[in-house]
Amino acid sequence: MAVLAATRVGVVERKQRRRATTICSYWLAGRCVRNPCRFFHPLSQSPSQPAPIPNKRPLAISEAHPHKPTKRSPSTSSSTSSSVRPCEYWKSGNCFYGDCCRNLHSWFCADDFSISSKLAGHKNGITGIALPQGSDKLFTGDRDGSLRVWDYRSGKCTQKFDLGTEIGCLICKDSWIFVGTVDCVKAWNFETHLDFSLSGPVGQVYALAVGQDALFGGAQNGVISVWKLSDPENPGFPLTGSLEGHTCAVTSLVVGAKRLFSGSMDHTIRIWDTCSLQCVGTLNGHSAAVMSVICWNCCLISCSMDKSIKVWSTTKEDGTVEVIYTHDEECGVLSLFGIHDANDKPILLCSCEDNSVRLYELPYFLERGRLFGKQDIRAIQTSANDEGLFFTGDWTGTLTVWKWDRDPKIEDLHKRLKV
C-alpha cells in the first residue's frame, strides 16, 4: 500500500511540474480568468515554482464558450470550406478568443467584395428589395407590412408606409413599385404618387414578375393572376386572366423567351405561353419545394429545399426541357439571384438555410466567396446604375449594402473606354 501511495504521489507531482512549465493558451490570448492558474504565466511566476492546484476548479472559458481556441491562418478569411462560418459568440459580442477563435469573425468570406454599409430600420424579416433603374431610391418590404424608401447613398430612410398586412414580395418596373400582399397586389407610382390595389389573388402573394406587357402574381392557392401593364395615358391594371395548374403555393416567377416559368411548393416548375396563357410544359426534377427560378442565357436555373440547384435547357429539336447539370448543396436553397461582378463576370448568388449566401461564378459553379446573415437571407437585389453594389436582407430585418472591389487593371480599362 505504501508503494502504491508513493507511486500516486509521484504521478501527481509529475503532472504539476508539466502544467507548471506549459504556457497557458488562454494567457497567450489575453483571456485567462483563472487566479491562480495551473499553467505557466511567464510574466507572473517562475516555471520552477508550480502553481498550486485549487481544490475547487473555477469556471473555465471553454464551459461558457465550447469551441476550442486555434490560431486562424491569414488565408482563413478567403477560404470557402463548409466549416467556415461566423462565430455565434462573436455575433452577440461575447467571444473571448479574439483572433485565436477557430470560427470566422466577419460577415463575409471573400477577397473581391466587402460591406459598404448596413441600413437599420426594419424590425422583421425583409421579403423584397427593389431598386428602379436610374433612381437613387431603394425600396424594401418586410413581414410586418412595413414598406421603406431609402437613399442608399446616405443610408437614410426617407419614407415609411405601413400597409397593415404582410408583404410577400416586392418588384419594380420603371417608376412603378409592385407589392405582393394578402389577397391583392399594391401598385404605387413613386413619381406621380398614383396607387392601385389589384384584386384577383387568393391568399398571400409570394411572387411577382413583369414581361410581355403584363404583370404576373403567384399566390398561396397556386393560381397565377395576370394584369395588363398600365398605359401612361390610361393608368390602370385590368385583370386579364389567371393561370391554374399548381396544387400548392407559387414561390417564384420569371419571364424569358416569351415564356413564364413558375416554381411551386408542389415540387414542380411549370412553363406557360405568355400569349395564349396556356401551360406548355411541367418540369419534375426536384423532390421538394421549388423556392426560386431564374433565367440565365439560354438556360433556366432552379433551386429547391431538396438541397440542389438544377440547370435546365432545351436538349431536343421538339423543345423538350431537361436537366443538364445538378449542383448539390449541404442544406436547402432558399433563393437565387444573378448579377455581374466588378469585372463583368456572371455570378450566381444562392441563399441557403444555414444563413449564408454562396457566390458561384458561372458556368462552372466556381465558388467565389460567401456572405452571412444573422438569420435566413431571403431578399437579394443589385444596382442597375453601374456602381458595383448589391443588397441583401435577412430574416431579422438587417439590410446590408455590399460593394464589389474592382480589379485595378479592369478599372483602368473601363475609364479608357468611357473616355
Side-chain angles (χ1 to χ4, degrees):
M1 293 295 292
V3 174
L4 181 59
T7 302
R8 288 178 178 175
V9 170
V11 170
V12 171
E13 290 179 349
R14 284 196 296 274
K15 286 184 178 180
Q16 285 184 328
R17 285 195 296 270
R18 187 163 58 250
R19 287 169 179 162
T21 56
T22 302
I23 297 177
C24 174
S25 61
Y26 297 96
W27 177 86
L28 288 174
R31 296 291 186 271
C32 185
V33 295
R34 293 184 175 185
N35 186 19
C37 180
R38 290 182 273 186
F39 297 96
F40 179 41
H41 288 201
L43 299 182
S44 60
Q45 63 189 67
S46 169
S48 62
Q49 300 174 349
I53 302 175
N55 293 327
K56 186 175 182 180
R57 185 170 59 90
L59 177 66
I61 294 177
S62 59
E63 292 175 329
H65 191 356
H67 57 255
K68 298 178 181 179
T70 45
K71 188 73 174 178
R72 290 200 307 269
S73 65
S75 62
T76 302
S77 61
S78 60
S79 170
T80 54
S81 68
S82 60
S83 62
V84 174
R85 61 181 65 252
C87 170
E88 293 298 326
Y89 298 89
W90 171 80
K91 286 182 182 180
S92 58
N94 295 322
C95 183
F96 299 114
Y97 291 130
D99 290 339
C100 289
C101 179
R102 70 180 181 185
N103 291 321
L104 190 65
H105 283 198
S106 175
W107 291 110
F108 63 96
C109 181
D111 296 324
D112 46 8
F113 65 85
S114 58
I115 294 177
S116 176
S117 62
K118 286 182 178 287
L119 309 184
H122 285 289
K123 303 301 182 183
N124 212 324
I126 297 175
T127 54
I129 304 174
L131 181 64
Q133 188 169 4
S135 172
D136 59 357
K137 297 179 183 294
L138 179 70
F139 299 84
T140 57
D142 66 21
R143 292 190 295 169
D144 283 342
S146 173
L147 176 65
R148 289 178 177 265
V149 186
W150 308 80
D151 182 333
Y152 66 86
R153 291 188 176 90
S154 66
K156 294 181 179 180
C157 179
T158 58
Q159 288 179 288
K160 178 185 176 182
F161 304 93
D162 186 4
L163 302 187
T165 183
E166 180 178 343
I167 295 174
C169 55
L170 177 70
I171 66 168
C172 64
K173 172 64 175 177
D174 299 328
S175 59
W176 286 97
I177 302 298
F178 301 102
V179 183
T181 63
V182 177
D183 296 334
C184 80
V185 173
K186 303 285 188 181
W188 177 51
N189 191 304
F190 62 86
E191 292 181 349
T192 64
H193 301 293
L194 287 174
D195 65 273
F196 299 92
S197 292
L198 312 183
S199 60
V202 176
Q204 180 70 57
V205 177
Y206 291 116
L208 290 168
V210 171
Q212 302 297 311
D213 296 324
L215 170 67
F216 302 91
Q220 190 173 358
N221 66 343
V223 177
I224 303 170
S225 300
V226 187
W227 298 271
K228 181 177 175 57
L229 282 183
S230 177
D231 184 345
E233 297 180 359
N234 184 26
F237 300 87
L239 183 66
T240 60
S242 60
L243 313 180
E244 299 183 13
H246 286 296
T247 58
C248 294
V250 176
T251 56
S252 181
L253 296 171
V254 64
V255 178
K258 296 184 179 181
R259 295 285 190 269
L260 171 70
F261 301 90
S262 59
S264 170
M265 297 289 288
D266 64 10
H267 307 181
T268 69
I269 301 169
R270 285 184 175 263
I271 307 172
W272 310 84
D273 187 294
T274 55
C275 296
S276 65
L277 301 183
Q278 297 297 314
C279 181
V280 296
T282 303
L283 309 180
N284 294 291
H286 287 290
S287 59
V290 178
M291 301 301 293
S292 183
V293 289
I294 66 170
C295 291
W296 177 70
N297 288 347
C298 297
C299 298
L300 177 74
I301 305 179
S302 64
C303 70
S304 169
M305 296 302 289
D306 65 6
K307 305 180 183 181
S308 73
I309 301 169
K310 294 185 181 293
V311 182
W312 309 75
S313 183
T314 303
T315 58
K316 299 178 181 179
E317 294 182 358
D318 60 0
T320 302
V321 179
E322 296 180 349
V323 175
I324 60 173
Y325 178 74
T326 298
H327 177 83
D328 294 323
E329 287 290 353
E330 302 158 357
C331 54
V333 188
L334 301 171
S335 64
L336 301 174
F337 195 86
I339 64 176
H340 285 82
D341 68 3
N343 301 322
D344 208 33
K345 295 180 179 179
I347 304 294
L348 180 66
L349 279 72
C350 307
S351 175
C352 297
E353 275 192 304
D354 62 355
N355 307 339
S356 74
V357 176
R358 275 84 155 165
L359 286 82
Y360 296 110
E361 184 178 325
L362 298 177
Y364 301 110
F365 277 81
L366 174 66
E367 187 164 3
R368 292 278 298 274
R370 296 185 187 183
L371 56 90
F372 307 93
K374 292 182 179 179
Q375 291 185 19
D376 293 344
I377 296 173
R378 300 292 185 101
I380 305 174
Q381 187 55 262
T382 186
S383 170
N385 301 328
D386 194 27
E387 296 174 308
L389 300 177
F390 62 99
F391 310 85
T392 60
D394 73 13
W395 225 227
T396 66
T398 302
L399 178 62
T400 307
V401 184
W402 304 84
K403 184 175 180 61
W404 287 104
D405 298 325
R406 196 186 293 271
D407 187 322
K409 295 181 181 179
I410 302 296
E411 180 76 23
D412 183 59
L413 178 60
H414 277 228
K415 289 181 179 179
R416 292 181 181 180
L417 291 175
K418 288 182 179 180
V419 174

